[in-house]
């Protein structure tokens, strides 16, 4: 039995606030990609889906003159650093095992190398999965952050993914 499900994570007000700001549909899509990649590579699907779901929770909105400025974002963003901290704190508050929360936070921290002076050298399989899943869902100029779904569809998608994770873990 998992300590915390994706549905539990999403129902927390902090998660809702930041996941909607950074793109809830992108978060869902990346978490599904993480599930399938983790399953095929024999990596913990629970860790992978949570890291994928929360990977952009640290995003700041980079606007200039009322419009999203993708270049400003690319030059100055450190969302992976803020996201790792925010996700870790949220998961601990929700009752996630501290070691697992740390592993998820590190996967979020290293899902992009945009804030590092040089690329990460030896990423773990979980870190590689989150990075690959994020890249699979990217759209030009960051448009993947603007897709929307109804609250009902978000919750049903999360419940479905929670079911898939539980079924895989118990198989």
């Amino acid at each position: 039995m998992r300590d915390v499900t994706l549905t539990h994570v999403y129902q927390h007000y902090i998660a809702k606030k930041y996941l909607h700001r950074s793109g809830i549909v992108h978060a869902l899509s990346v978490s599904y990609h993480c599930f399938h990649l983790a399953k095929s590579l024999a990596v913990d699907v629970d860790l992978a889906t949570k890291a994928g779901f929360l990977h952009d929770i640290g995003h700041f909105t980079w606007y200039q003159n009322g419009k999203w400025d993708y270049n400003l974002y690319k030059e100055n963003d450190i969302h992976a650093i803020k996201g790792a901290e925010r996700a870790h704190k949220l998961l601990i508050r929700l009752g996630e095992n501290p070691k697992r929360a740390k592993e998820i936070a590190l996967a979020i921290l290293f899902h992009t190398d945009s804030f590092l002076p040089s690329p990460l050298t030896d990423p773990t399989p979980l870190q590689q999965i989150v990075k690959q899943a994020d890249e699979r869902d990217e759209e030009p100029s960051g448009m993947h952050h603007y897709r929307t779904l109804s609250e009902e569809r978000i919750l049903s998608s999360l419940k479905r993914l929670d079911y898939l994770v539980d079924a895989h873990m118990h198989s």
Side-chain angles (χ1 to χ4, degrees):
M1 187 70 181
R2 296 183 291 156
D3 293 325
V4 178
T5 65
L6 293 165
T7 306
H8 291 136
V9 170
Y10 179 68
Q11 290 172 336
H12 193 280
Y13 74 96
I14 292 291
K16 278 192 177 192
K17 174 183 176 179
Y18 291 108
L19 289 172
H20 278 278
R21 183 169 85 181
S22 64
I24 186 64
V25 176
H26 175 59
L28 277 169
S29 182
V30 171
S31 61
Y32 271 89
H33 286 307
C34 282
F35 172 77
H36 293 293
L37 287 166
K39 189 175 162 184
S40 70
L41 297 170
V43 171
D44 187 316
V45 295
D46 182 43
L47 293 176
T49 56
K50 287 175 186 165
F53 188 57
L54 295 171
H55 80 282
D56 278 345
I57 198 167
H59 263 293
F60 180 78
T61 50
W62 294 98
Y63 285 90
Q64 194 163 351
N65 300 323
K67 291 186 178 183
W68 174 253
D69 189 327
Y70 188 69
N71 291 328
L72 192 61
Y73 153 74
K74 290 298 279 182
E75 291 173 18
N76 302 296
D77 191 67
I78 58 167
H79 78 276
I81 296 169
K82 183 65 178 173
E85 184 272 335
R86 190 174 281 152
H88 185 264
K89 186 175 181 179
L90 173 63
L91 289 167
I92 294 296
R93 281 184 176 171
L94 289 171
E96 184 65 72
N97 174 288
K99 289 179 182 173
R100 294 174 68 78
K102 181 179 179 180
E103 199 168 342
I104 292 165
L106 289 173
I108 292 167
L109 177 63
F110 295 117
H111 85 274
T112 180
D113 57 8
S114 64
F115 67 92
L116 296 171
S118 60
L120 180 64
T121 49
D122 289 321
T124 67
L126 177 61
Q127 292 164 5
Q128 291 173 3
I129 285 169
V130 177
K131 182 175 178 54
Q132 288 172 17
D134 185 30
E135 290 169 352
R136 283 186 180 184
D137 195 56
E138 284 183 355
E139 294 176 16
S141 300
M143 294 310 294
H144 52 282
H145 293 286
Y146 293 99
R147 299 186 314 245
T148 60
L149 285 175
S150 69
E151 186 70 13
E152 181 180 295
R153 182 75 187 272
I154 293 165
L155 284 170
S156 68
S157 295
L158 286 170
K159 287 176 185 175
R160 171 86 175 124
L161 187 52
D162 278 330
Y163 171 80
L164 292 171
V165 170
D166 286 336
H168 179 75
M169 290 176 70
H170 296 351
S171 65

